[in-house]
Amino acid sequence: MKENEVVILDRGDYTTCAVNLHGAVVTSWRINNKEQIFVSRKSSLFYLRYHFHIGEIRGGIGVAFPKLGTWEFGRRHGFARDLTWKIKTGPTYNRKEDVYAEFVLESDAYTESLWNYQFKLMNRVTLGKETLFIEFHVENRSNYLPFYFDFMLRFLMKISDISKCRIIGLKGCQFRDRLDKKKKYYNEDRSEITISNPVDRLYLNSSTTIYVKDGDFGKVTKLRRRNLPNLNLWNPWVDMARELPDLGDEEYRYFISPESCSEGVFLPPMSCWKASQLIDVTEPVDHQSTCSFYDIFDDYC
């Protein structure tokens, strides 16, 4: 298979999802033909057809494995996002008329040269009417050796304006500011988190459900995750965006990145670890509905 091959999930009514086999990254998710995912115009995605090998795709929904951050044995955030995955199943419809496909990545001589363990990753993407459900399995295929790994489900959510974005559900959570040289831990005291500067914060053991409001009366996106205890919130803002070669100078305004993650997971031989995230989109609500939204929301830390 070529690196630029894309698998399309089509549920009808102009609701579709595209998964690029390069990194098994979800590069498009449309509901009634409205795009929900941000991909930079300068991303490697647009150059895959001209090159044999390209690094990560700047945008979409993808995975970091087996290491988060800098890594002495390879590129930042591991190798899973840089490799070509294989399609295992689908696209196939289930009883609810949702459509899904499964993608796999298995250890080989190349991955073992960087990380000497036998593994299998499975990514199952299910497209619903207004939802996207992503399930991940990590298998340790060794008969004898356990291993530790990090995992992050990266998500660049498309929004109309970062200055009007609100993140709800992290009040009371402890976080570490990755941009703070003091490396201290803080408590989040805001009910609604707003973005007005570069942000790279790791919220520890945070609520399994958060909400992202796009604009004053825009859509609300609900994110529910399982077995991913931490949430990293990221946006590069002006200066950092200019330092990223695969991101336009002004593109930081049009996405927020809530990244679900788990670090230092121990996996015994011949065992499997599972995690998932459900993304549920509600289209624009009126002022009355926005007010009642707080009455039903009780999932703070």
Side-chain angles (χ1 to χ4, degrees), residues 174-209:
Q174 190 178 58
F175 69 88
R176 177 161 52 91
D177 190 340
R178 298 182 187 273
L179 303 178
D180 186 353
K181 295 181 180 180
K182 297 179 181 180
K183 298 182 178 180
K184 295 175 60 177
Y185 289 87
Y186 304 90
N187 287 321
E188 182 60 71
D189 58 2
R190 294 174 293 175
S191 297
E192 290 193 352
I193 296 173
T194 57
I195 310 297
S196 57
N197 292 291
V199 60
D200 191 359
R201 292 184 172 186
L202 179 65
Y203 289 86
L204 304 172
N205 297 312
S206 57
S207 170
T208 57
T209 303

Side-chain angles (χ1 to χ4, degrees), residues 3-6 18-23 25-28 35 37-51 54-60 246:
E3 281 190 315
N4 63 337
E5 286 193 355
V6 176
V19 183
N20 197 301
L21 294 184
H22 182 79
V25 178
V26 180
T27 53
S28 177
E35 184 61 69
I37 286 176
F38 172 86
V39 176
S40 171
R41 293 180 179 179
K42 298 178 68 175
S43 173
S44 299
L45 171 66
F46 298 103
Y47 300 98
L48 284 173
R49 69 181 65 182
Y50 305 112
H51 296 264
I54 293 291
E56 68 166 313
I57 295 172
R58 176 67 68 183
D246 55 355

Side-chain angles (χ1 to χ4, degrees), residues 59-180:
I61 304 175
V63 60
F65 173 92
K67 179 66 177 178
L68 301 184
T70 55
W71 188 31
E72 59 182 317
F73 301 114
R75 284 196 350 104
R76 182 179 176 84
H77 291 327
F79 50 69
R81 61 183 182 165
D82 293 338
L83 301 179
T84 302
W85 293 51
K86 296 179 180 179
I87 183 167
K88 176 185 178 183
T89 305
T92 303
Y93 291 88
N94 61 22
R95 294 180 180 179
K96 297 181 180 180
E97 298 184 353
D98 298 336
V99 58
Y100 69 90
E102 294 178 335
F103 308 86
V104 295
L105 178 70
E106 299 183 71
S107 55
D108 57 19
Y110 173 72
T111 64
E112 291 178 11
S113 71
L114 300 173
W115 194 64
N116 193 22
Y117 295 102
Q118 296 177 325
F119 68 87
K120 179 180 179 180
L121 306 183
M122 191 279 289
N123 176 12
R124 177 169 173 156
V125 179
T126 303
L127 176 66
K129 185 177 180 181
E130 294 178 337
T131 61
L132 195 65
F133 186 43
I134 300 177
E135 302 170 86
F136 262 96
H137 295 181
V138 179
E139 295 181 21
N140 183 346
R141 309 193 83 177
S142 170
N143 291 316
Y144 309 104
L145 295 177
F147 60 69
Y148 288 89
F149 67 91
D150 299 339
F151 182 93
M152 176 184 286
L153 191 59
R154 311 191 74 203
F155 178 22
L156 270 68
M157 180 191 304
K158 185 176 182 179
I159 55 177
S160 59
D161 189 338
I162 186 64
S163 66
K164 297 182 180 180
C165 177
R166 305 288 187 270
I167 299 95
I168 303 167
L170 295 171
K171 182 178 181 180
C173 294
Q174 190 178 58
F175 69 88
R176 177 161 52 91
D177 190 340
R178 298 182 187 273
L179 303 178
D180 186 353

Side-chain angles (χ1 to χ4, degrees), residues 208-235:
T208 57
T209 303
I210 68 164
Y211 294 82
V212 178
K213 291 174 60 181
D214 183 7
D216 296 332
F217 306 111
K219 71 178 180 182
V220 176
T221 303
K222 179 180 180 181
L223 290 88
R224 288 184 289 173
R225 63 190 193 277
R226 182 171 176 263
N227 209 19
L228 294 167
N230 303 330
L231 184 84
N232 197 75
L233 196 62
W234 179 73
N235 183 281

